[in-house]
Amino acid sequence: QTFRKNSVTAFCFCSGGIKCYLSTNPRNIIMASKNSAGSAFQAIASSLCELGITTEAKKKDDDASQKESRSNHVQEFFRNVWQTQPAIFRSCQDACANKDCPLFKAIHMEWDDVAQMLHHCRESPSRAPLFFQNGNPITDPETTYANNPHAAYLDGCSIIVNHADFHHPIIANLCNSLQETFPHVYANTYLSPPDSHAVNAHADDRDVLVVQLLGSKTWKVYRKVPIKYPFENEQVGKNGLGVDPSVFAGGLCFEDEEITLSAGDVLYMPRGFVHEASTHTQTATTTTTNGAIEPSFHITLALATHDWCIASILSDTIRNTLIDNPEFRKALPIGPCSEYGGAQCEVDNFLKQQLESAMSLIQTNVTSGLLHEQMTKKYSMHNSRAGELRRIITNRKRPIEDQAEDNCVGYYAACRLTLNSVVRASSVEERNRVVLEEGRLRGLTVREETMQSLMTIVALMKEKSSLEIRVKDLRSIAPTESMSMCSNQFICGFTLLSFARCCVELGALAVVKEAEA
């Protein structure tokens, strides 16, 4: 049923009962009831939805269809949103059928899970994390941070992990669940400290579902689309292709407002829409009990729609059809001299004959059934390859521990560290045990806002050598006067976990084993 109030339309997609939602929110809103299935996308589609663009045509369509059954929320998404306009789905964890839903598990990931994923990514040189600082890539992460994402984070870098579904089982299972709805899905993750942004304004060649897991992030989604349904070489804001100023002058989606995603919110973005995101402290909505602002961690679930369109599938199918015939593999007689190809009229006649033969072959062999088969083969191949790598991470046990009996410092000790781990100051013998790569310094580069407080913490730990404390409580040992308002905002649990991991890896702190604790 459709309701109107203050020129706002609120829809009720009812399943097994009547639910209504009235709002004075200036955005167009869709409200859906819970679904009983465990599919991740059904949970997303069943959540409160804010549409990015409201058009007269959309209003007329809503009026005409208000008597229809709206129990199929996924169908509503593909009818009104898919490839047409951005949309936000709020608090999607509330629409999950149960706690076993892959989306529910993803939204309830914790900072220890993020650290585990970063460690696994660091162990995979071919898929090493990418570091960005205020929109600029770190070109030599090995020299600057020894490829340690925690060290980069402490210096104010955003961390991007491509194909994160190969690095954490929860993300792998989420992609598998979404493949019940979409042909193929893969995941990239973005970890951004407060007051930062990873990349500048740009458009993508794929549709995406942005799932906010921890913290919050502010987005600008621009209304004007510079290139509709772009391919890889048409992504503005990337690879030297600029964003036309008219895009920024054309206003924002969502009633010309910035939007903030909090944990559980999902942003759907069709390919081609220019967007940018940041974690400004003024707009942060997620703080810890001690007033610290949480960093932002979200998953971008990529739907490679540029690869699924008729232009891509048809061109690939035609090419495969033609190259199966040896006659179409020969070089064309077009060259700089007549001896190479003959007179112009001879060349033209030859090309006409070749074109007629090619068109005849295409019309005979390229059918709708063949296109369907090629598309299915294409995404099945991607799913099979991804499935193998996802099974590896899903079946993987905890990080392998060093075989040394006293493994309390160094790389392998650091990789096991969680917020509940207990640490202490290391002894001279333990520090000397840590052997660093040639040229690597035994120190950290830390962003200015947190440097004094973190250095105070490690100095006090060394001074009180008998002190044993959980990582999550490290902040409590620093005197209040050493914690400025700015520093107080930036030292959250993940900052402490990253700092402790770096200190243990470098040998400044040691892990207290359970028996000792």
Side-chain angles (χ1 to χ4, degrees):
Q1 192 171 358
T2 304
F3 303 85
R4 289 188 180 277
K5 184 174 181 180
N6 295 344
S7 300
V8 176
T9 303
F11 295 102
C12 238
F13 299 164
C14 301
S15 176
I18 296 176
K19 291 178 181 284
C20 62
Y21 184 87
L22 298 179
S23 172
T24 56
N25 189 317
R27 298 170 182 163
N28 204 32
I29 297 179
I30 295 176
M31 180 66 179
S33 61
K34 286 189 179 182
N35 77 90
S36 59
S39 165
F41 190 72
Q42 285 181 335
I44 293 172
S46 297
S47 302
L48 175 64
C49 174
E50 300 174 14
L51 300 178
I53 300 173
T54 305
T55 64
E56 288 303 316
K58 174 69 177 65
K59 290 177 182 177
K60 290 178 181 178
D61 178 67
D62 293 335
D63 291 338
S65 62
Q66 58 181 289
K67 293 183 179 180
E68 296 179 11
S69 170
R70 296 194 178 257
S71 60
N72 192 334
H73 316 307
V74 175
Q75 184 180 17
E76 286 299 314
F77 170 83
F78 286 111
R79 176 188 297 173
N80 296 323
V81 179
W82 175 245
Q83 298 190 100
T84 302
Q85 61 177 318
I88 306 172
F89 298 86
R90 297 292 188 184
S91 302
C92 293
Q93 68 273 23
D94 296 338
C96 294
N98 51 60
K99 293 182 179 180
D100 291 328
C101 176
L103 180 66
F104 185 91
K105 290 185 175 181
I107 292 172
H108 287 81
M109 286 180 68
E110 299 179 349
W111 289 116
D112 286 336
D113 295 306
V114 177
Q116 179 187 346
M117 181 198 69
L118 293 178
H119 167 72
H120 186 267
C121 182
R122 187 183 177 189
E123 284 189 323
S124 309
S126 62
R127 301 188 187 90
L130 305 177
F131 306 150
F132 285 78
Q133 201 164 46
N134 293 322
N136 300 310
I138 302 299
T139 55
D140 188 8
E142 173 61 40
T143 300
T144 311
Y145 304 114
N147 279 333
N148 186 344
H150 294 287
Y153 173 83
L154 290 173
D155 194 28
C157 289
S158 294
I159 316 298
I160 300 176
V161 175
N162 289 328
H163 284 289
D165 45 314
F166 301 161
H167 297 293
H168 199 282
I170 290 178
I171 302 175
N173 289 331
L174 177 59
C175 288
N176 287 338
S177 180
L178 288 169
Q179 284 171 187
E180 297 173 11
T181 304
F182 300 97
H184 177 68
V185 183
Y186 64 94
N188 302 329
T189 62
Y190 294 75
L191 169 65
S192 299
D195 267 350
S196 69
H197 68 279
V199 293
N200 297 320
H202 67 280
D204 294 312
D205 63 353
R206 72 218 71 156
D207 292 49
V208 298
L209 292 164
V210 177
V211 185
Q212 188 72 29
L213 303 187
L214 293 159
S216 62
K217 203 164 199 177
T218 301
W219 291 75
K220 294 180 180 180
V221 182
Y222 294 93
R223 190 181 183 95
K224 182 177 179 180
V225 179
I227 301 175
K228 290 187 176 181
Y229 311 113
F231 288 94
E232 185 176 7
N233 62 334
E234 297 174 317
Q235 301 174 95
V236 298
K238 295 183 178 182
N239 302 319
L241 186 61
V243 180
D244 192 279
S246 65
V247 172
F248 301 120
L252 302 173
C253 295
F254 301 103
E255 296 293 330
D256 206 25
E257 293 182 7
E258 295 183 0
I259 56 174
T260 298
L261 299 185
S262 301
D265 293 342
V266 175
L267 169 63
Y268 166 70
M269 188 111 56
R271 84 187 208 250
F273 278 82
V274 176
H275 55 278
E276 56 184 318
S278 61
T279 54
H280 296 310
T281 52
Q282 295 88 339
T283 57
T285 60
T286 308
T287 58
T288 61
T289 53
N290 54 25
I293 298 173
E294 274 198 314
S296 167
F297 180 68
H298 78 258
I299 304 174
T300 293
L301 296 155
L303 314 169
T305 41
H306 71 283
D307 215 22
W308 308 342
C309 65
I310 187 66
S312 295
I313 299 300
L314 184 59
S315 59
D316 289 346
T317 304
I318 289 175
R319 183 179 184 277
N320 292 335
T321 299
L322 293 178
I323 63 176
D324 283 343
N325 188 326
E327 286 299 313
F328 296 116
R329 292 171 175 259
K330 295 179 180 178
L332 291 172
I334 301 174
C337 63
S338 59
E339 288 80 6
Y340 179 84
Q344 181 69 39
C345 62
E346 294 175 343
V347 173
D348 287 344
N349 287 333
F350 175 78
L351 290 177
K352 289 178 182 178
Q353 293 174 5
Q354 289 286 87
L355 183 58
E356 288 174 0
S357 298
M359 292 301 294
S360 176
L361 184 64
I362 291 169
Q363 289 177 342
T364 302
N365 292 279
V366 179
T367 63
S368 59
L370 181 60
L371 293 177
H372 189 283
E373 179 185 338
Q374 292 300 315
M375 173 66 182
T376 304
K377 281 184 178 179
K378 193 169 195 174
Y379 69 72
S380 295
M381 177 189 68
H382 288 306
N383 289 344
S384 178
R385 290 176 178 174
E388 288 297 323
L389 293 169
R390 290 172 191 166
R391 275 190 287 275
I392 291 173
I393 188 62
T394 301
N395 296 329
R396 188 174 187 261
K397 297 179 180 179
R398 299 276 306 170
I400 300 173
E401 298 187 14
D402 191 3
Q403 297 301 312
E405 187 175 338
D406 297 322
N407 180 34
C408 59
V409 292
Y411 174 81
Y412 288 103
C415 80
R416 302 196 313 275
L417 213 60
T418 69
L419 282 166
N420 282 315
S421 298
V422 178
V423 293
R424 56 172 172 77
S426 61
S427 65
V428 174
E429 187 275 330
E430 287 168 339
R431 285 195 292 273
N432 291 336
R433 192 189 307 164
V434 178
V435 179
L436 303 179
E437 297 88 344
E438 185 177 354
R440 183 180 177 188
L441 300 177
R442 198 181 291 268
L444 289 172
T445 303
V446 180
R447 67 187 297 176
E448 183 178 355
E449 295 90 341
T450 60
M451 178 176 63
Q452 179 181 347
S453 297
L454 292 178
M455 293 303 104
T456 299
I457 288 173
V458 76
L460 289 173
M461 289 290 290
K462 290 182 178 179
E463 182 180 318
K464 303 174 182 178
S465 57
S466 61
L467 176 65
E468 297 180 353
I469 188 170
R470 294 192 184 278
V471 172
K472 64 182 181 182
D473 298 326
L474 280 170
R475 174 179 166 139
S476 65
I477 69 173
T480 305
E481 57 270 19
S482 71
M483 303 284 284
S484 66
M485 177 63 70
C486 181
S487 178
N488 189 58
Q489 283 186 315
F490 282 82
I491 298 184
C492 63
F494 190 74
T495 297
L496 293 173
L497 179 58
S498 293
F499 184 64
R501 281 193 169 218
C502 289
C503 288
V504 170
E505 181 171 335
L506 295 170
L509 296 179
V511 181
V512 178
K513 295 183 179 180
E514 291 185 11
E516 296 178 48

